[in-house]
Amino acid sequence: MSRSAHPAGPRHADVLTEGHYAAPPADLNALDEKVWARTVSRGDDGAVTVGGIEVTRLAEEFGTPAYFLDESDFRARCRAWADAFGADADVFYAGKAFLSRAVVRWLKEEGLNLDVCSGGELTTALDAGMPAERIAFHGNNKTVAEIERAVRAGVGRIVLDSFQEIVRVSHIAQQLGRRQRVQIRVTVGVEAHTHEFIATAHEDQKFGIALAGGQAAEAVRRALTLDGLELVGIHSHIGSQIFDMAGFEVSARRVVQLLTEVRDEHGVELPEIDLGGGLGIAYTSDDDPREPHEIAKALGDIVSRECEAAGLATPRISVEPGRAIVGPTAFTLYEVGTVKHLEGLRTYVSVDGGMSDNIRTALYDAEYSVALVSRRSDAEPMLVRVVGKHCESGDIVVKDAFLPSDLAPGDLIAVPATGAYCRSMASNYNHALRPPVVAVRDGEARVIVRRETEEDLLRLDVG
Ligand code: LLP
């Protein structure tokens, strides 16, 4: 971006001249459907609506900051994944992306299964009526109490993550007089092209058991000998926010290779493989995510081809999308508090939330988009940084984005694609009150997770 291209905004440091914010979009009022939930549109009077309700009305009724989740979009995405994978495969929604009792009910109604990774997620799932056999229990350090609860409840599978856990789960299951269905999570040695903190298939990290050096084969050997376990398959999750299918294909190939070795050594054909989640979504107009049917086809083809070559019956495939289902369905609505122009540097737009409701920008250097949603504006674009209200200079919500230069305190702005890992990773930093999640559908809005109150804070602080 040349400085003269934006006479209305202040000048900006050279570091801001690359990437998707190098030039402003042709029309700041336009909403790119790639990054917004399906029922979001701008009404004739200029205010944005979701599920047929204006955001100005939503802000009045529910306050800001708040997450608004498009329920029909969520359900449509569940169906798209279920249809793409068909009756011979299973889709497990990864609850860590965002979980609430309403979400569990929607998943149940739309025919999805659920992946949980803590006692809290398991409780939410069971409380909202998800049948235990449709739940997979994950985690690299499940406690004995959590394992006992999961086995007692009868979860469909526990995904084993270490040699110690193989023995631990078997022991607990035997004590409870059960034989627990399990998968073994392996690390396939793929370098996923994503942020280091969300890549999980290289060997030097805490999850899973490496295929390299025969460790995974040894894990299978041990699991097959233990009476408390019914080993049903192998699991691999290579990381998150991945667009390139190549990593999944390598992962699938290596998992099938292990199944072949297991067949050759033990005469046992493990009936299931799980290829994890991790499919990327569009946070900005530059991102081009894959559709579920493309993913299903790519994975299905590679698994059947490899199995055929090895003379194995094709196992039942499962996947665990979290972000790809819930991420695009929600946006965070903020009210602008101050607009600060730092001459020759940058314009800071401060909103009434921040890193407590979206830690992803600070943690992963994540990119987001933002739009003025309470009205239309034809003012010149200005390049801004959207920041929160926390006592931390890394408290950035959107690093660089264009907003109209007449932006003023009281305007509402919204950050799309915040359905995944925003509310679920929210914190009380600075004693912030975590925002509510409001589900919107067909002209009706209802709170599914209420806003925290100061009484909630004081109730935990027992003095
Ligand atoms: N399955 C397993 C075993 C996982 O560990 C994860 C994510 C998923 C499925 C779902 O991945 P998804 O489809 O949502 O990418 N907090 C980070 C992401 C960490 C994900 C951890 N595991 C973020 O905000 O990007």
Side-chain angles (χ1 to χ4, degrees):
M1 184 197 76
S2 73
R3 287 173 178 176
S4 58
H6 306 294
R11 292 174 301 146
H12 297 285
D14 289 344
V15 70
L16 298 180
T17 57
E18 288 170 14
H20 69 273
Y21 43 83
D27 177 7
L28 277 186
N29 296 301
L31 300 169
D32 183 348
E33 61 185 28
K34 257 202 299 190
V35 297
W36 291 91
R38 286 182 199 177
T39 71
V40 170
S41 64
R42 197 177 284 277
D44 295 339
D45 66 350
V48 166
T49 63
V50 54
I53 312 180
E54 289 186 351
V55 292
T56 39
R57 243 183 71 202
L58 292 170
E60 266 164 36
E61 187 172 349
F62 302 102
T64 56
Y67 307 98
F68 292 95
L69 193 159
D70 182 342
E71 180 183 338
S72 53
D73 191 8
F74 184 98
R75 288 177 180 272
R77 286 173 195 277
C78 289
R79 286 196 294 275
W81 278 86
D83 292 349
F85 279 84
D88 297 332
D90 297 301
V91 180
F92 285 75
Y93 168 76
K96 66 204 83 180
F98 173 63
L99 196 65
S100 75
R101 289 186 285 194
V103 163
V104 174
R105 285 191 288 272
W106 302 339
L107 294 168
K108 195 173 140 194
E109 286 165 17
E110 302 300 344
L112 262 62
N113 307 288
L114 176 60
D115 143 12
V116 300
C117 67
S118 70
E121 289 182 1
L122 179 62
T123 298
T124 305
L126 293 172
D127 187 80
M130 180 58 84
E133 63 274 13
R134 282 167 61 182
I135 298 175
F137 189 30
H138 272 277
N140 67 303
N141 189 16
K142 309 167 192 77
T143 66
V144 168
E146 286 173 328
I147 296 168
E148 271 176 10
R149 190 135 53 95
V151 174
R152 256 187 232 282
V155 298
R157 66 167 81 135
I158 294 182
V159 182
L160 302 172
D161 200 273
S162 68
F163 284 100
Q164 283 157 351
E165 201 174 72
I166 293 174
V167 178
R168 196 174 291 155
V169 172
S170 174
H171 183 71
I172 293 169
Q174 274 185 298
Q175 277 187 330
L176 295 173
R178 304 283 178 91
R179 191 148 180 261
Q180 176 62 47
R181 283 169 47 88
V182 294
Q183 292 187 342
I184 292 174
R185 177 165 173 176
V186 301
T187 43
V188 292
V190 174
E191 293 288 336
H193 296 157
T194 188
H195 191 280
E196 175 195 352
F197 292 177
I198 52 177
T200 55
H202 53 296
E203 273 129 24
D204 183 7
Q205 44 88 30
K206 69 172 184 169
F207 293 107
I209 300 176
L211 283 178
Q215 292 204 58
E218 176 59 20
V220 169
R221 220 166 274 137
R222 293 191 197 176
L224 285 173
T225 61
L226 294 173
D227 291 337
L229 306 181
E230 180 190 353
L231 179 63
V232 292
I234 301 297
H235 182 286
S236 162
H237 170 74
I238 60 172
S240 275
Q241 187 56 6
I242 297 168
F243 293 100
D244 182 1
M245 288 304 291
F248 290 100
E249 289 175 9
V250 174
S251 165
R253 203 169 297 131
R254 293 191 183 163
V255 168
V256 173
Q257 175 61 33
L258 178 62
L259 295 189
T260 312
E261 286 167 31
V262 170
R263 190 261 329 261
D264 294 347
E265 182 177 341
H266 306 281
V268 173
E269 289 200 22
L270 298 178
E272 296 176 3
I273 67 174
D274 189 305
L275 295 170
L279 278 308
I281 62 163
Y283 285 103
T284 74
S285 299
D286 287 349
D287 296 326
D288 285 309
R290 299 298 187 100
E291 292 297 322
H293 64 88
E294 293 176 77
I295 296 157
K297 179 158 179 10
L299 295 181
D301 285 354
I302 184 104
V303 171
S304 11
R305 201 162 56 234
E306 296 291 313
C307 286
E308 204 175 307
L312 284 172
T314 305
R316 191 172 176 86
I317 298 178
S318 52
V319 285
E320 298 171 335
R323 182 190 329 260
I325 291 178
V326 72
T329 68
F331 60 82
T332 315
L333 189 64
Y334 299 105
E335 184 176 312
V336 173
T338 64
V339 180
K340 194 184 276 185
H341 300 291
L342 301 188
E343 188 47 40
L345 289 171
R346 203 188 289 280
T347 295
Y348 284 92
V349 172
S350 294
V351 295
D352 49 357
M355 64 194 295
S356 55
D357 58 69
N358 186 351
I359 191 64
R360 298 194 69 262
T361 308
L363 193 55
Y364 313 119
D365 215 17
E367 304 265 8
Y368 280 92
S369 338
V370 60
L372 170 62
V373 290
S374 46
R375 62 183 171 92
R376 169 182 288 279
S377 167
D378 294 316
E380 286 288 308
M382 67 173 170
L383 186 55
V384 304
R385 175 159 288 179
V386 179
V387 296
K389 69 197 295 288
H390 296 284
C391 294
E392 179 110 4
S393 45
D395 173 24
I396 298 168
V397 180
V398 186
K399 272 186 297 184
D400 302 294
F402 288 96
L403 283 171
S405 52
D406 62 352
L407 191 76
D411 278 333
L412 298 177
I413 62 176
V415 174
T418 57
Y421 304 109
C422 286
R423 181 58 180 79
S424 68
M425 293 173 81
S427 76
N428 289 119
Y429 183 42
N430 296 142
H431 285 203
L433 304 171
R434 285 179 296 174
V437 181
V438 180
V440 185
R441 184 186 180 187
D442 300 335
E444 276 178 34
R446 73 192 166 100
V447 174
I448 58 171
V449 178
R450 74 158 167 79
R451 186 185 299 284
E452 270 178 340
T453 62
E454 290 184 347
E455 291 81 77
D456 292 328
L457 289 182
L458 293 178
R459 204 170 299 139
L460 294 176
D461 178 345
V462 293

